Amino acid sequence: MTRATLSGSQFPSGNLWKILPLALLVCTTFTLPALAQEKDKMWRTLSVSGRGVETIPTTLAQVSLGVEIQGKTAQEVQQEAARRSSAVVAFLKSQNVEKLQTTGIRLNPVYSYTNNVQRITGYAANNTVSFRIPTEKAGTLLDDAVKAGATQINGISFVANDEAIAAAQKQALKEATQDARQQADAVFSALGFKSKEIVRIQVNNASAPPPPMFLRAEAAKVADSSTPIVGGEQEVEASVTLQISY
């Protein structure tokens, strides 16, 4: 009686069953330490967050202004608001302002109250635009915009130009990374550990927060004198988190 053998194999089936357990044992011996090392590597990590802040001078004024008209009928006030707004926009375009855009168009009824009775007495239309202009030109431009038909100055904020903000963001990221690394080194030194490698990097934020708006006034109240406009500084922030094994 003959014993069956596996096709293409040089080993008899009886010897094959003796060899397989030995192979599995060798494989397990090499695999388990590797898994243990990987698990230990993931457990022994420190996460630190660093912050970087760059302060840069502002060179542009972000301006919001508008036209408000009141009258008896909705059609009347809307047509007059559109006419004056068109004149203001044409003037602003002639001054080569940046990022000119319409930010609001409103038409609302105006009410009066007599003996606790509400009654519509007219309508108010309001059109607003925003734009950017070099800060040193903003005062004169506002005065001329009032002459062109603007009736409201809604607000002014001061910002740096896009190129300066981009450069400041990169520098803030470098500072945030260095800050995180220095914090980690201080912790490892205090505990007597040595850092091995950075296993994870997360950039949490690298932005220029929107600047606050200043100045809200009726244009007629500031049109008689040149409007002084003085800029300031803008902060650009960045945050980086490092996960470091030890």
Side-chain angles (χ1 to χ4, degrees), residues 189-212:
S189 176
L191 297 176
F193 295 137
K194 289 185 178 181
S195 63
K196 293 182 180 179
E197 61 179 327
I198 297 174
V199 298
R200 187 167 181 264
I201 301 173
Q202 179 179 339
V203 178
N204 301 323
N205 192 25
S207 64

Side-chain angles (χ1 to χ4, degrees), residues 207-222:
S207 64
M213 296 292 287
F214 302 98
L215 181 62
R216 178 177 176 85
E218 296 296 329
K221 296 179 181 179
V222 297

Side-chain angles (χ1 to χ4, degrees), residues 1 4 16 41 62 82 85 100 117 133 140 154 159 162 198 212 245:
M1 181 175 181
L16 179 63
K41 177 180 177 181
Q62 178 80 37
S85 297
L100 175 63
V117 177
I133 190 74
T140 301
N154 298 320
V159 296
D162 294 341
I198 297 174
S245 65

Side-chain angles (χ1 to χ4, degrees), residues 163-179:
E163 292 78 9
I165 291 176
Q169 287 175 336
K170 293 179 181 179
Q171 183 60 32
L173 281 172
K174 291 181 181 179
E175 294 174 4
T177 304
Q178 293 170 354
D179 180 38

Side-chain angles (χ1 to χ4, degrees), residues 6 56 71 116 178 204:
L6 293 176
I56 54 179
N116 293 326
Q178 293 170 354
N204 301 323

Side-chain angles (χ1 to χ4, degrees), residues 34 42 79 87 120 123 126 138 156 160 173 186 205 225 234 239 242 246:
M42 293 305 297
Q79 288 179 347
I120 296 178
Y123 292 85
N126 186 287
I156 298 177
L173 281 172
N205 192 25
S225 59
Q234 181 176 9
S239 177
L242 303 180
Y246 61 92

Side-chain angles (χ1 to χ4, degrees), residues 39 44 56 68 71 77-79 88 130 142 159 163 190 230-231:
K39 185 179 295 185
R44 292 175 59 91
I56 54 179
E68 184 172 21
V77 296
Q78 184 62 29
Q79 288 179 347
V88 172
S130 68
L142 286 177
V159 296
E163 292 78 9
V230 180

Side-chain angles (χ1 to χ4, degrees), residues 58-72:
T58 59
T59 57
L60 299 171
Q62 178 80 37
V63 182
S64 174
L65 56 79
V67 172
E68 184 172 21
I69 302 296
Q70 293 190 11
K72 293 294 184 181

